[in-house]
Amino acid sequence: MIYKTLHIIAHKFDQYLSGKFNQEERIAVLSTPAGSDGISESRNNNSLIISLVNIERDTSMGINFKPQPLQNERFFTGRPSLSLNLYVLVSSDFSNKNYDESLKYLSAALEMIQRNDLLTAYNTPELNPEISKLYLGLENLSFQELSNIWSMLGRKYIPSFLLKVRMLTIDQMEIESEQRQTEDVNLRM
């Protein structure tokens, strides 16, 4: 599910940037900003790099164990669904061209987020049917946090922003137990 979600986001960036800059070649790539040696991989040159940097469990909606209805007045209980927030680093690596080009593409990527901050089956048909919607939002980072991310990645800073993808829910819908509905019994004392 994470893999498909990130590919959809990269595809959305690619569609928007290709249309804006009239380019046929792929611009947005799902990759790490640096190779294992800390140097930019050649396939990342002149591209917008989409990288997963963290996964967080979202408990804002609570963790739900309540029985879910089936048919014939029966209910089932199962494991609660797993709601995730993905932290995605979007970086612009146009080192072979120039710094201005990096800023141009990064600005356009921010425009795409501003225009498409909610992905649904309506505006993103390729979205997995199990995902009702994804919210895309910018995360504010301090200079220290930004430095920590780039140090963790083993690369010098390039223009970038952190995107928070909210409400990716994973639910295998495995039934652990099944019960019949009980009727209310009135007891008088």
Side-chain angles (χ1 to χ4, degrees), residues 11-170:
H11 180 69
K12 280 290 204 191
F13 277 119
D14 208 38
Q15 280 181 319
Y16 185 80
L17 296 172
S18 295
K20 183 170 181 75
F21 298 114
N22 292 324
Q23 291 190 355
E24 292 181 19
E25 62 196 44
R26 194 166 173 205
I27 300 168
V29 294
L30 187 58
S31 181
T32 179
S36 58
D37 57 1
I39 299 171
S40 175
E41 295 184 7
S42 61
R43 69 185 172 127
N44 292 347
N45 288 339
N46 305 322
S47 61
L48 190 74
I49 306 165
I50 314 299
S51 310
L52 179 66
V53 293
N54 196 18
I55 301 171
E56 167 188 78
R57 183 172 189 173
D58 188 340
T59 57
S60 63
M61 306 262 306
I63 299 174
N64 190 354
F65 277 100
K66 68 181 185 181
Q68 302 294 320
L70 281 172
Q71 56 197 17
N72 301 330
E73 298 179 2
R74 298 182 72 80
F75 292 84
F76 78 91
T77 56
R79 302 293 306 152
S81 59
L82 183 60
S83 296
L84 301 175
N85 295 324
L86 306 179
Y87 290 89
V88 177
L89 185 67
V90 179
S91 49
S92 186
D93 188 357
F94 285 81
S95 54
N96 285 353
K97 291 187 179 179
N98 58 39
Y99 187 71
D100 290 346
E101 202 73 5
S102 289
L103 296 178
K104 183 171 88 172
Y105 279 86
L106 196 66
S107 295
L110 289 167
E111 288 173 14
M112 197 285 295
I113 296 298
Q114 191 271 329
R115 291 180 183 208
N116 300 296
D117 63 341
L118 177 63
L119 303 182
T120 64
Y122 177 75
N123 65 10
T124 312
E126 63 272 21
L127 195 63
N128 189 319
E130 295 172 6
I131 301 171
S132 61
K133 56 189 155 206
L134 294 172
Y135 299 95
L136 308 179
L138 293 178
E139 269 303 290
N140 294 325
L141 294 175
S142 68
F143 285 111
Q144 182 63 48
E145 291 168 324
L146 191 60
S147 176
N148 290 346
I149 287 175
W150 284 100
S151 294
M152 173 185 70
L153 295 171
R155 178 153 186 214
K156 291 182 180 177
Y157 175 80
I158 57 176
S160 60
F161 61 85
L162 189 65
L163 181 66
K164 184 176 182 179
V165 181
R166 294 187 314 132
M167 298 309 292
L168 173 64
T169 303
I170 298 173

